[in-house]
Amino acid sequence: MKNASFLNEIKNSIDRNKLPEHIAIIMDGNGRWAAKKGLPRTAGHKKGMDTVDMIVTASRNLGIKVLTLYAFSTENWRRPEKEVNFLMRLLKTYLIIQRRKMMKNKIKFNVLGRIQELPVFVRKEIEKTKNLTSENTALTLNIALNYGGRVEIVDAVRRLFKDILTAKKDLNYETLINSIDEETISNYLYTAGFPDPDLLIRTSGELRISNFLLWQIAYSEIFITETLWPDFSETDFYMAVLDYQKRERRYGGVKNL
Ligand code: FPP
């Protein structure tokens, strides 16, 4: 009872007029959570999936517009094959189970990353979920999968180059190249059309960015908690939002006088 009233107290103290529009999360600590309990690493990922479900619902109900979760990096292929296979199957299961709830809660599903390199059985569920939820407007859930911040920039530059090379011949290359600005680059990233994250949360206490949204987090507020992802609670989530609301965002400027 005490916990429930604390949760409500925290939730009610959030200023609904000052919500972060976009929250990004580095979900870390599944392996350590499992090890602490003498369980295989995969048990940590399974419990981590329950946390994902809870945080997606909490974000949607709070009024967050975009939630981006780092689920699998371009470097995660280096993990044991058994763990990689488990994560891929878990993603498939998550999508199959959650589709109905996404529709009920008007959640639009999207993936950031080199999707074409994922196993066909995952791609199939991704496409199905993306198509089904494409008209939903409450919250966009971006899952970063086979995602790397540097690879994202490489992909953006490749596509931009291609567009320049295939541009109309009557256009002057120099004019074209000089017209490239920050907005151009943003528009070629996987996150084109989304606002940059206002708040970046990392669980498990590591003080690293781990190749996540390198361009987009230029001015994000960062919240790091020691809590391991499977233990990350709704209360922890609201505490992060409250902490964000206390920050003064200056974007390199000075305090309003
Ligand atoms: C990091 O913990 C976590 C991952 C690499 C995988 C994240 C996956 C989930 C939360 C579950 C499924 C996700 C979705 C979207 C359904 P780690 O394994 O690096 O932990 P450690 O640092 O303690 O070893």
Side-chain angles (χ1 to χ4, degrees):
M1 235 12 244
K2 194 170 170 240
N3 276 348
S5 66
F6 182 63
L7 173 68
N8 279 329
E9 200 182 307
I10 293 287
K11 197 170 163 182
N12 293 334
S13 39
I14 293 175
D15 180 348
R16 307 291 163 132
N17 297 314
K18 247 180 90 179
L19 286 175
E21 198 181 353
H22 183 174
I23 299 181
I25 308 184
I26 302 176
M27 312 182 287
D28 195 16
N30 293 352
R32 273 163 285 168
W33 180 90
K36 264 179 34 185
K37 293 191 151 34
L39 298 168
R41 293 178 56 81
T42 49
H45 297 316
K46 197 157 176 279
K47 182 72 168 43
M49 185 172 78
D50 297 339
T51 309
V52 169
D53 180 18
M54 182 268 291
I55 293 300
V56 170
T57 306
S59 300
R60 185 257 181 232
N61 291 342
L62 188 62
I64 304 301
K65 295 313 289 177
V66 187
L67 176 69
T68 301
L69 303 177
Y70 202 6
F72 194 88
S73 76
T74 43
E75 289 72 37
N76 285 153
W77 297 107
R78 294 182 199 141
R79 293 186 176 212
E81 200 183 335
K82 215 174 126 207
E83 185 176 342
V84 171
N85 288 342
F86 183 88
L87 279 168
M88 293 299 149
R89 278 187 276 115
L90 199 63
L91 283 159
K92 175 184 162 167
T93 308
Y94 174 80
L95 293 177
I96 293 173
I97 294 176
Q98 292 296 323
R99 271 201 288 264
R100 191 186 302 207
K101 196 164 165 187
M102 286 181 195
M103 292 311 287
K104 184 168 155 263
N105 287 339
K106 304 210 173 353
I107 293 169
K108 182 173 174 172
F109 175 76
N110 186 41
V111 171
L112 310 178
R114 285 191 172 166
I115 311 175
Q116 68 277 15
E117 292 171 0
L118 293 168
V120 176
F121 70 89
V122 182
R123 266 157 47 201
K124 209 177 111 195
E125 298 307 329
I126 288 174
E127 285 315 312
K128 204 166 162 186
T129 314
K130 272 178 73 173
N131 291 337
L132 185 74
T133 63
S134 65
E135 303 291 318
N136 291 344
T137 52
L139 165 83
T140 298
L141 168 64
N142 286 324
I143 303 280
L145 260 184
N146 193 22
Y147 174 90
R150 288 186 171 183
V151 158
E152 179 181 30
I153 294 170
V154 169
D155 284 351
V157 172
R158 282 184 184 170
R159 288 202 297 122
L160 179 56
F161 239 83
K162 219 170 161 181
D163 284 354
I164 289 177
L165 294 175
T166 54
K168 285 204 186 90
K169 291 282 175 275
D170 55 338
L171 280 172
N172 178 297
Y173 279 132
E174 200 167 326
T175 315
L176 211 52
I177 286 164
N178 287 335
S179 73
I180 296 171
D181 57 13
E182 291 186 14
E183 199 186 337
T184 316
I185 304 289
S186 294
N187 287 338
Y188 276 84
L189 296 173
Y190 305 141
T191 47
F194 294 116
D196 287 339
D198 302 290
L199 171 62
L200 171 71
I201 299 174
R202 177 163 194 152
T203 59
S204 94
E206 305 288 354
L207 305 177
R208 283 192 290 273
I209 294 301
S210 300
N211 203 11
F212 191 42
L213 302 174
L214 296 179
W215 173 276
Q216 300 88 335
I217 60 166
Y219 288 103
S220 302
E221 295 296 328
I222 302 179
F223 180 88
I224 294 176
T225 170
E226 292 289 329
T227 306
L228 305 174
W229 179 251
D231 286 332
F232 190 71
S233 67
E234 203 176 334
T235 308
D236 292 326
F237 178 66
Y238 297 138
M239 295 286 265
V241 173
L242 275 174
D243 193 83
Y244 163 85
Q245 292 190 330
K246 285 194 221 124
R247 314 266 183 104
E248 185 208 333
R249 304 186 76 189
R250 292 198 297 271
Y251 301 95
V254 289
K255 193 176 174 179
N256 284 338
L257 298 172

